[in-house]
Amino acid sequence: MIPAVMPTYARADIAFSHGEGVYLIDSDEGRRYLDFCAGIAVNSLGHAHPHLVEMVTQQVAKLWHTSNLYHIPEQERLAERLVEHSFADTVFFCNSGAEAVEGGIKLIRRYHSAGESPERWRIITCADSFHGRTLATLAAAKNPKHTDGFGPMTDGFDQVPFGNLNELRAAITPETAAILVEPVQGEGGMNTPDIQYLQGLRATADEFGLLLFLDEVQSGVGRTGKLWAYEWGGIEPDVVAIAKGIGGGIPIGAVMATEEAARGMTAGLHGSTFGGNQLAMAASHAVLDILLADGFLDQIDAVARDLQLKLDGLVKSHPDVFECWRGMGLMLGLKCVVPNLEMMTRLREAGLLTVVAADNVLRLLPPLTIEQAHVDEAMAILDRVASEWTSDGG
């Protein structure tokens, strides 16, 4: 008999009653777990952050949803803050990363249609990418594990290897409208390109009259040590999709775009019932208050560099367990020699929460509020579990 909750997840046999900072506490025994999953890069401020709790509580007591039939001052103010601190001139709010990517796809097609080039509608994407679970975003990523049984696939996406500018350029046709890339591939295994690749994407888009669309759903909002991962390349995209960490745990997504890229988007062409409601705006304002405070991004970068240095040592100490580490900032992954799913389970049993990715990678996505002591605690657990794995022969 099918359970009341549709069985689309292989859930771990654990539930949590509450969280405190970078820790989650389980419902059965009150055991504390160091959370290096953070809701899959969502809980950017950890759990029950005082400022986030205060902002959301105040908003809930007043108003949390009216729809976009009316002005939402909190939404307008958040859009202004995002514009001030990014490449963008305008922002559309939705509820999730997949919706943000879908919105960006629509914006791209409308851009060329409004510019009298309706034949340009195809988008070049990369192998090993992940852009969401809707039909269009599945087709963009073309991952057989996710597309099996959901065909026929939505047309309009041409895939090339990640990090290879030559093959990307060769795939451009008169129908090509844009390039869609994750600056760091999260689900694909924490694959991180050279800075020159990001710069090459911008140059290629300019050369061929394409829009550069970056999926920063996981890499954005401080996750890599800068507010946006594209900043590491010293470039500015035309469109960016964000979600996850911007709401600190409250669902929100957004499409950020230049004025030129959004030239075709007018009233009635796109919408969202829940997108940008007052509750989500309050949470996002709280997140930005913390991230934009003096020194906070520098602190993320410093803690991340220390964690990366210690991961170097971990890999060298346990070459039979870990092959290497990948990623940027606090968006990190350990490529395992042993099965990553089993490693994730053993770490959870030892008190450290992580999440797996493709290519046998174990992702480390802690809250951006972690401190040195939390890094040391996580490394101690990783070292102990790896040592036990070696000593007992796996």
Side-chain angles (χ1 to χ4, degrees), residues 195 266 326 379:
I195 296 303
T266 57
R326 304 169 176 168
M379 295 307 304

Side-chain angles (χ1 to χ4, degrees), residues 70-148:
Y70 315 101
H71 284 288
I72 302 175
E74 299 87 351
Q75 182 184 120
E76 294 163 10
R77 188 164 63 88
L78 183 65
E80 289 168 357
R81 294 181 80 181
L82 290 171
V83 165
E84 180 184 357
H85 293 281
S86 76
F87 75 99
D89 300 309
T90 190
V91 182
F92 173 86
F93 293 107
C94 51
N95 310 288
S96 68
E99 286 178 73
V101 175
E102 287 262 4
I105 292 169
K106 289 181 67 177
L107 181 148
I108 286 164
R109 291 189 177 185
R110 181 65 182 176
Y111 167 82
H112 288 286
S113 177
E116 299 182 355
S117 299
E119 74 280 2
R120 305 186 76 168
W121 62 285
R122 302 189 69 83
I123 297 175
I124 296 176
T125 63
C126 291
D128 301 317
S129 61
F130 181 82
H131 299 295
R133 298 277 191 166
T134 63
L135 288 176
T137 54
L138 287 176
K142 300 185 187 299
N143 185 333
K145 288 176 57 179
H146 300 153
T147 60
D148 183 38

